[in-house]
Every structure is written in C-alpha cells, then in structure tokens.
Amino acid sequence: MSSFSYHLESAKSLFDPFFIPTIQTILKGFSPSRVSEAALYSLQAGGKRIRPAIAINSYYANQNIPKPNTEDINLNNLLYLSSAIESIHTYSLIHDDLPSMDDDDMRRGMPTCHKKFDVPTAILAGDALNSLGFYLVRFINSNDANLLKDCLDYLHEGAGIPGMITGQMEDLEEEGKSGTSEYRKSLSRKERLLSIHEKKTGALIIASFLLGNRLRSDFKEREAKIKEYSKEIGILFQITDDILDVEGSAESLGKTPGKDANSGKLTYPSLYGMGTAKKMRDDSRDKAYSYAIELESETNQFFKGLPNYIAERKN
C-alpha cells in the first residue's frame, strides 16, 4: 500500500466510526422527524469522504495518523470539524440533485433524496445539514480565543455566499435557469467557467484543508502554501469531474452521466474540447504535486498522492 493510500484509509478509519454515530446522537436530541430520516439517508449513502480525509491529513501532515483516542482534544476537535465539512458537502449534493438545480435521480448509486422522499423533504433535509455543519463547530474545545472564529470564517467562505452558494448561482445562470447579472455578462466564457468552479467545487475543498491546518500550532506559517495547493486541487477536481461526466458510466459514477452536455453546462470539455481538457487536467495535477513538495515530508505523502488520485479516479 502506498503512503497516500495508507493515509487516506487511516483518515477514513478515524472518521467513519465517529461521524454517523455522532450525528445520530445529536439528531436524537431533537424531535423525531421525516427531515432527520432524510438527512441520515443521504449521510449514510456513503461517498469517498475525501473532504474529511483532506482535513485530517492537513492536520497530520508530516506525521502518521494515530489510532482513535477520546482523550485527545485536538483529535476530537478535528473530527467535529471534519463532520461539519461532510454534513455541508452532503447538503450541497441533496440540493444540487433537485429538479430546479441539476435534476438527478441517482446519487452514490442510490435514489437521490428527493426521489427517496419528496422535493420539500429534500429541501429541508439539505437545510438541516447546512445548519448542522455550523452547529458542530460549537463542540470545539480550545483555549485559543480565535480558533472558533477562524473555523466559522473558513466554513462560511467555503459554503456560503463567498464560495459554494455563488458558484451554484453562477452555474444556474450559465444554464439559463436564472437571470444573469450584468457583471457575469461582462466576463469571457473562460472567466465564467473558472469563477463557477473555484466557488462551487473549489471553495469547500480549500476550506477542508484550512480547517485541518488551523488546529496545528504552525498553522500561520503553512496557510499561504495550503491555499495555493488547495486551490489547484479544486481546479483539478472539477476538470476531472467534467471529463468523467462525458466518459464515465452510471455504474462507475453512481449518478447519471452525460447530464452536463444535455443541460448545456459550461464545462472544460465543452469549452476546450476533450483533448485539451485532459491536458489541462494533467497540467493541473503536476502543478498541485509541485506545491505538495513544499508541504510535507516523506512520513505522510497524502499531499503528494492526492493530485494523482483525483486525476485517475473513476467516480
């Protein structure tokens, strides 16, 4: 097993036993509802858990990931932040699949939330997971007066108006599902494409790196390089996604392929052609790797292995 694979699986082995039981315990504290049932359905559908793994490895860069330890305050803080990220990511998928958005029937090989339940329930389940993500930050235990503020700022920059929300809005504008702002009309197609994906896909990935890094004692020295690296990872992730939507199958993707072209989305293959899009993917992978060299030692090579993992993934 490669160093990357080991640290990816080690992160998941820390996260998975914590995540669902913790969410279930929190939800049990509220009145039972169909919304909670729908939220848990989507959370338990699986997925790569790549964003929590990013946060965990961003904290443990240059060292091995330890075994679970309930007395380790920093580890517990890290797991709550990772859970916040995954809750918000899952909310975004629920809403992205809605008929008024990307309108998909399958997600992670299962019926989407609005197909399993109904559209109103799916909307509210997404809302619930969005607010739950921010609620989970309250469980952070630290003497650092600025930690809570910084973590909330990172989450908002990734998931709120500065990031994912505006990216989704711009994506809908591009598809003609919403009116277009005068500012968007002034941009070139290349500028619009980059703007969409830096926000819709990249912003939460950047937040995942920054949240894990924020728990480190040397977070200030690493933050600029983390931002540079994670921004490139977000671009790489989206280029690969666009390619997979053209070349992937429903079985491998766990969702309907070919939807980008059918809905007239602005994507890397549609704007540049498949050959150029694949070259852009490879160039982005190499660029991210060059940044990773400055961020980690030989002990944990998650940062170095992640670009190749993303570029070669099948779903």
Side-chain angles (χ1 to χ4, degrees):
M1 181 182 289
S2 69
S3 175
F4 169 78
S5 297
Y6 171 77
H7 285 93
L8 176 63
E9 294 307 315
S10 295
K12 288 180 181 179
S13 70
L14 271 183
F15 180 73
D16 285 339
F18 178 88
F19 181 50
I20 296 299
T22 297
I23 301 300
Q24 287 175 324
T25 299
I26 290 172
L27 291 178
K28 283 179 182 177
F30 310 130
S31 299
S33 72
R34 184 171 169 82
V35 171
S36 295
E37 183 185 349
L40 276 172
Y41 168 80
S42 294
L43 290 175
Q44 293 174 316
K48 297 180 286 295
R49 306 299 198 214
I50 191 65
R51 288 159 188 81
I54 283 172
I56 291 168
N57 278 283
S58 190
Y59 175 70
Y60 285 115
N62 301 321
Q63 56 187 305
N64 285 317
I65 295 174
K67 300 294 182 183
N69 180 359
T70 56
E71 296 181 3
D72 186 335
I73 292 174
N74 261 358
L75 174 55
N76 283 328
N77 288 345
L78 180 62
L79 290 173
Y80 276 114
L81 287 178
S82 300
S83 297
I85 295 163
E86 189 66 9
S87 296
I88 289 172
H89 174 57
T90 303
Y91 125 71
S92 75
L93 300 182
I94 292 173
H95 280 196
D96 199 44
D97 290 332
L98 290 169
S100 59
M101 299 287 188
D102 275 3
D103 191 13
D104 214 325
D105 295 345
M106 298 294 293
R107 171 69 68 174
R108 294 169 173 169
M110 298 170 62
T112 49
C113 190
H114 70 276
K115 284 295 181 181
K116 176 70 174 179
F117 295 87
D118 50 64
V119 170
T121 302
I123 291 171
L124 293 173
D127 292 344
L129 289 178
N130 184 18
S131 62
L132 182 65
F134 285 89
Y135 177 73
L136 287 166
V137 179
R138 75 175 293 277
F139 294 101
I140 291 176
N141 184 358
S142 175
N143 294 323
D144 182 347
N146 291 316
L147 178 61
L148 188 63
K149 173 187 176 297
D150 289 347
C151 289
L152 288 171
D153 282 347
Y154 292 145
L155 272 181
H156 179 249
E157 287 167 11
I161 288 178
M164 191 165 58
I165 295 296
T166 296
Q168 180 69 67
M169 185 74 254
E170 291 177 356
D171 200 25
L172 293 171
E173 289 178 32
E174 204 63 45
E175 290 182 60
K177 292 183 177 179
S178 172
T180 304
S181 68
E182 290 303 314
Y183 170 71
R184 290 282 296 169
K185 291 177 183 176
S186 71
L187 301 177
S188 68
R189 296 186 76 208
K190 179 180 178 181
E191 290 171 326
R192 298 201 306 268
L193 176 65
L194 187 59
S195 178
I196 290 169
H197 297 311
E198 281 184 343
K199 298 180 182 78
K200 184 179 177 182
T201 302
L204 193 60
I205 289 174
I206 292 170
S208 302
F209 279 104
L210 291 176
L211 285 163
N213 182 66
R214 180 59 182 84
L215 295 175
R216 293 173 63 103
S217 59
D218 61 348
F219 75 94
K220 287 183 179 178
E221 300 96 280
R222 293 173 59 83
E223 187 168 273
K225 289 293 182 185
I226 290 281
K227 286 181 178 178
E228 189 176 52
Y229 171 78
S230 58
K231 183 177 180 180
E232 195 61 43
I233 288 292
I235 293 169
L236 173 61
F237 200 98
Q238 188 58 52
I239 297 173
T240 305
D241 246 14
D242 287 357
I243 292 170
L244 287 173
D245 187 76
V246 177
E247 296 188 340
S249 65
E251 291 73 26
S252 63
L253 294 176
K255 59 182 182 179
T256 308
K259 289 188 65 64
D260 290 351
N262 293 337
S263 61
K265 273 186 181 292
L266 181 60
T267 67
Y268 287 89
S270 71
L271 182 59
Y272 295 102
M274 184 59 76
T276 300
K278 287 184 176 180
K279 184 181 187 306
M280 293 174 74
R281 176 198 60 193
D282 295 344
D283 290 345
S284 179
R285 176 197 61 202
D286 296 344
K287 190 175 181 181
Y289 180 85
S290 70
Y291 292 148
I293 294 172
E294 303 178 54
L295 285 167
E296 64 188 7
S297 67
E298 295 301 310
T299 304
N300 181 338
Q301 296 197 26
F302 179 86
F303 279 63
K304 292 174 187 166
L306 182 61
N308 205 50
Y309 169 81
I310 291 172
E312 294 187 354
R313 66 193 174 91
K314 302 301 181 186
N315 57 34

